[in-house]
Amino acid sequence: MKLGVCYYPEHWPEALWPDDARRMAELGIRHVRIGEFAWSRIEPSPGELHWDWLDRAVETLARAGLEVVMGTPTATPPKWLVDRHPGMLAVDAQGRERRFGSRRHYDFSSDAYLEESRRIVTLQAQRYGRHPAVTAWQTDNEYGCHDTVLSWSAQAAQRFRLWLRKRYGNIARLNEAWGNVFWSQEYRSFDEIDAPMLTVTESNPAHRFDFRRFASDEVVRFNRMQVEILREHAPGRPVSHNFMLFFTEFDHHKVAADLDFVGWDSYPLGALEMFWFSDEEKRRWLRTGHPDFAAFHHDLYRGMSRLPFWVMEQQPGPVNWAHWNPSPKDGMVRLWTWEAFAHGAGVVSYFRWRQAPFAQEQMHAGLNTPDNQLDAGGIEAAQVADELGRVPVVKSERAPVALVFDYEARWAIEAQPQGADFNALRLAFEWYSALRELALDVDIVSAQAPLEGYALVVVPTLPHLPDGFVARLRDSGAQVVLGPRCGSKVETLSIADGLPPGDLRTLMPIRVRRVESLRPGIAAPVVLGEHRGGCIRWREHVELGNDSVGEAQFADEFGGPAVVRCGSVRYLAGWFDAPTLSAVMHRAAVDAGLEPYALPAGVRIRQRGELIFLFNYGDEPATLPTESVDWLIGNDTVPAQGVCVARLRGD
Ligand code: GAL
């Protein structure tokens, strides 16, 4: 459990560096990420390499006892490079070039850019790969930020055709799989296929779905190129990438498989403002962020990281990029930091050391103000540094609950939403929240992950069931909760044979006869025992088969089961409001032998090994029943914006 910071020596006079390094070390920082946007200073003109300043920056940090995370600079190719290879720019869905003048101006499918990246990463890795102070690497920066995964360029279309040829072998198979007989969309050869753009009306969803898969594989290819170079020239140094928040444009499980550890960038207030939360939630959590936002990502990224994951960038104060950018409440930077450790983070690294007084991010806070005074976030980081010695480092253990999250599921539903607000990521987040409000720890796992050992497995949605998934679910022996649209589609998006839930019928013998989406303000009433709730956004009309029973019913004009049970498996025939979802999760958790406990609003609890962490996002102090623990920080009353840490007493 260590602290880090993002630092841009190229933004500051060199005379300031030694003092920066000394103050970082004094504050308790151990890891400093540098370099990821510095290409124009490393190579101001083609082939003219200026490593001297970066050498001195690394030495300055090393002399202060700091370890360097070196970022490869490929997120910001310099102007001369773009002018040399104009075809490296990505193209938007309207066919317009995305030009130089900000960042991430490149196309993952550009071979010219791949080669330029290979060249600069190799030179950088040769220079710093074995440097004793450079102890970890980051590839590029935030793949996909600013909508940069998809490109509708000629080169992307060309590589897409190759990708399709490899996947389908012959064009007849593709025509069949996509259903191209519909509207005479049939192709005679792969060469005739374009990227799905500028069509008169909706393009074929199977076409778009494959284009998403292809684009995701292009990110994997680009990242793998860099990882291979780093493995060769920086032996023994772990390689990472900083993933984003609420971001699903590529398959993170596949990129993570090539990395040693995963980093992610945590901006709780920016995320609250920019995503689906209601106005009421935006007001309520304005200065704290949603209580499940950071934890959701910690549990997601922990699940794909071989070594402990990092928070590579932690919000330290107001950001610059949301519609409105409020200041966190006092205590939140400390709380977010401890919460990351509670969920298994190895390092929490703040973005950034000092606020830049110029260019795009001049309004973004740092640990220090532009005039170099420690800011509120810096003071809280120092507090955490002081507290760290009081809490031992223990291994994260498997949680009792697994939540299955699949990137392709998200793309499948985006390709054919059928209801404007059916967002698979939001559904996963709401299911996660329901579990966390019941004090349950959760591992977020891929649809390929082993499931044995979990008491409860929940699958918010998974339209296409990957090979072996149904068997893994059955063999897990867990209580299972399946959400709407599970098993509804085949791999190429056609409706599952025999109707949804397709192959899940071996566990849950039902037939989803009809689905409907519901506009905002419309809810189908649901009766679950004593509970009266509602189904919003999405409702399914289900026919029961042998051994399946309705545990909850729709109380609308159509009636029928809202929750179906078959042995240890439940199926939810819709998108439930929060209280109804909570009631179902409570039942499933009890059936799984767990002890769900309704936490006070805004309070969260997490166990890491024998440590128990309490967090309070709310406005009032909260007292929790805790027995047989020794308090390391605080006690059983967790103040507003407070953190308490206890160790379970051995028997
Ligand atoms: C991240 C990015 C950083 C910086 C930061 C500002 O998305 O990786 O470079 O832009 O946001 O919040």
Side-chain angles (χ1 to χ4, degrees):
M1 300 194 294
K2 306 216 184 72
L3 300 182
V5 77
C6 306
Y7 183 51
Y8 301 92
E10 69 275 21
H11 294 180
W12 307 102
E14 198 165 329
L16 211 53
W17 299 354
D19 188 56
D20 283 343
R22 178 187 58 78
R23 288 178 56 232
M24 287 174 193
E26 272 174 22
L27 192 143
I29 281 169
R30 292 282 300 277
H31 298 268
V32 185
R33 187 192 66 179
I34 64 173
E36 82 276 14
F37 300 126
W39 197 336
S40 73
R41 289 294 170 97
I42 293 169
E43 190 179 21
S45 290
E48 191 191 305
L49 290 154
H50 289 209
W51 298 112
D52 49 319
W53 70 270
L54 193 51
D55 293 350
R56 291 195 297 278
V58 171
E59 289 313 324
T60 306
L61 295 168
R63 265 200 303 278
L66 298 160
E67 294 181 35
V68 171
V69 182
M70 184 65 81
T72 68
T74 50
T76 49
K79 180 72 165 87
W80 60 258
L81 194 141
V82 178
D83 290 344
R84 243 187 180 190
H85 307 286
M88 63 168 273
L89 294 174
V91 171
D92 76 8
Q94 272 64 51
R96 298 170 305 204
E97 211 167 61
R98 303 188 71 193
R99 299 198 180 158
F100 181 85
S102 62
R103 63 176 169 182
R104 300 213 54 76
H105 39 281
Y106 70 85
D107 185 337
F108 282 102
S109 296
S110 163
D111 284 330
Y113 190 58
L114 190 83
E115 287 318 310
E116 289 284 9
S117 299
R118 195 193 302 282
R119 183 182 62 79
I120 195 70
V121 173
T122 304
L123 291 169
Q124 192 186 18
Q126 284 169 339
R127 188 147 191 111
Y128 300 107
R130 291 181 157 82
H131 194 296
V134 179
T135 54
W137 287 76
Q138 174 185 294
T139 57
D140 201 280
N141 188 79
E142 289 192 341
Y143 290 133
C145 188
H146 319 302
D147 290 325
T148 51
V149 170
L150 296 177
S151 171
W152 285 264
S153 64
Q155 59 219 354
Q158 185 53 33
R159 289 185 49 80
F160 180 45
R161 287 177 204 115
L162 294 174
W163 186 92
L164 290 170
R165 193 185 292 273
K166 219 164 138 203
R167 188 174 178 93
Y168 293 98
N170 66 62
I171 198 68
R173 203 170 294 144
L174 178 142
N175 282 324
E176 172 72 22
W178 287 9
N180 282 340
V181 61
F182 191 78
W183 288 351
S184 277
Q185 294 173 92
E186 284 161 308
Y187 298 104
R188 292 170 306 153
S189 89
F190 288 99
D191 298 334
E192 293 180 349
I193 303 176
D194 279 326
M197 67 191 292
L198 297 172
T199 51
V200 172
T201 183
E202 187 191 345
S203 55
N204 188 330
H207 187 178
R208 269 179 285 135
F209 191 25
D210 271 346
F211 192 61
R212 301 287 300 269
R213 287 186 172 121
F214 153 75
S216 174
D217 285 355
E218 293 291 88
V219 179
V220 173
R221 167 180 94 131
F222 187 79
N223 182 65
R224 185 170 297 158
M225 173 277 290
Q226 299 207 9
V227 173
E228 281 168 0
I229 294 166
L230 294 169
R231 297 250 180 272
E232 184 183 343
H233 298 291
R237 269 59 164 191
V239 180
S240 182
H241 178 77
N242 55 335
F243 290 146
M244 291 167 67
L245 58 91
F246 287 142
F247 190 74
T248 54
E249 294 290 295
F250 59 87
D251 190 331
H252 290 49
H253 290 116
K254 287 191 181 161
V255 173
D258 287 329
L259 302 170
D260 298 298
F261 69 95
V262 161
W264 81 278
D265 298 344
S266 178
Y267 294 95
L269 303 193
L272 182 81
E273 179 56 43
M274 297 305 277
F275 284 83
W276 52 71
F277 301 97
S278 66
D279 277 351
E280 190 207 327
E281 286 171 307
K282 287 186 186 191
R283 278 193 295 272
R284 178 157 183 215
W285 309 116
L286 180 79
R287 298 183 186 283
T288 61
H290 189 286
D292 298 309
F293 160 78
F296 175 83
H297 291 87
H298 298 325
D299 290 348
L300 171 68
Y301 290 131
R302 186 184 61 249
M304 59 180 88
S305 188
R306 202 140 36 83
L307 300 174
F309 76 93
W310 291 26
V311 174
M312 194 59 91
E313 299 179 11
Q314 172 63 62
Q315 175 166 1
V319 299
N320 64 300
W321 45 263
H323 297 315
W324 289 276
N325 298 292
S327 178
K329 283 193 180 180
D330 287 348
M332 285 315 296
V333 172
R334 169 178 176 252
L335 186 155
W336 292 328
T337 308
W338 271 115
E339 194 177 33
F341 291 134
H343 287 258
V347 173
V348 176
S349 168
Y350 301 95
F351 185 89
R352 49 188 279 162
W353 173 245
R354 185 167 39 240
Q355 180 173 352
F358 46 77
Q360 278 91 330
E361 292 180 352
Q362 54 181 277
M363 304 303 286
H364 192 298
L367 295 185
N368 291 277
T369 52
D371 65 345
N372 212 16
Q373 303 298 308
L374 202 60
D375 203 351
I379 293 166
E380 290 186 29
Q383 186 184 347
V384 176
D386 282 346
E387 290 168 335
L388 277 172
R390 285 149 66 181
V391 180
V393 179
V394 299
K395 228 172 134 324
S396 297
E397 280 158 20
R398 157 181 286 233
V401 183
L403 182 149
V404 175
F405 182 74
D406 181 66
Y407 289 86
E408 289 207 359
R410 165 95 154 125
W411 309 335
I413 287 173
E414 281 179 339
Q416 200 162 51
Q418 179 67 7
D421 53 6
F422 197 113
N423 174 336
L425 180 62
R426 176 175 185 177
L427 186 67
F429 182 79
E430 290 188 6
W431 281 43
Y432 176 84
S433 238
L435 295 161
R436 297 290 298 140
E437 284 171 355
L438 293 172
L440 298 169
D441 284 345
V442 179
D443 286 345
I444 301 181
V445 302
S446 83
Q448 268 75 30
L451 296 173
E452 74 271 9
Y454 288 107
L456 173 61
V457 177
V458 307
V459 192
T461 191
L462 190 64
H464 164 245
L465 309 166
D467 285 347
F469 181 74
V470 177
R472 262 179 290 125
L473 214 50
R474 188 183 40 235
D475 297 345
S476 72
Q479 287 287 319
V480 173
V481 183
L482 301 167
R485 304 177 86 159
C486 276
S488 58
K489 300 284 184 171
V490 304
E491 203 179 355
T492 47
L493 270 192
S494 301
I495 294 173
D497 284 346
L499 293 190
D503 289 346
L504 281 168
R505 248 192 310 276
T506 56
L507 302 180
M508 172 54 65
I510 56 173
R511 191 168 158 262
V512 179
R513 195 163 38 78
R514 169 176 292 184
V515 299
E516 54 172 335
S517 48
L518 306 173
R519 64 183 351 277
I522 304 296
V526 172
V527 178
L528 172 68
E530 299 293 292
H531 176 85
R532 298 284 175 279
C535 173
I536 50 180
R537 294 195 183 93
W538 188 265
R539 180 211 196 285
E540 300 185 348
H541 298 242
V542 169
E543 250 172 49
L544 297 177
N546 291 342
D547 304 325
S548 54
V549 292
E551 186 178 31
Q553 309 295 328
F554 285 113
D556 63 0
E557 60 199 296
F558 302 109
V563 177
V564 184
R565 263 198 92 169
C566 179
S568 55
V569 184
R570 285 178 167 83
Y571 182 89
L572 274 56
W575 184 308
F576 290 175
D577 62 17
T580 310
L581 186 61
S582 176
V584 176
M585 290 303 173
H586 193 281
R587 285 175 177 229
V590 169
D591 291 345
L594 303 174
E595 291 173 14
Y597 171 84
L599 290 166
V603 174
R604 294 294 182 270
I605 182 165
R606 174 122 212 311
Q607 187 165 348
R608 174 174 175 175
E610 71 262 24
L611 299 178
I612 308 278
F613 296 79
L614 305 179
F615 302 99
N616 190 349
Y617 280 74
D619 291 330
E620 302 295 330
T623 303
L624 287 166
T626 36
E627 287 162 17
S628 312
V629 297
D630 295 315
W631 290 100
L632 307 176
I633 295 179
N635 53 43
D636 62 351
T637 298
V638 51
Q641 285 74 65
V643 176
C644 298
V645 187
R647 193 207 312 243
L648 287 170
R649 268 186 224 134
D651 299 349

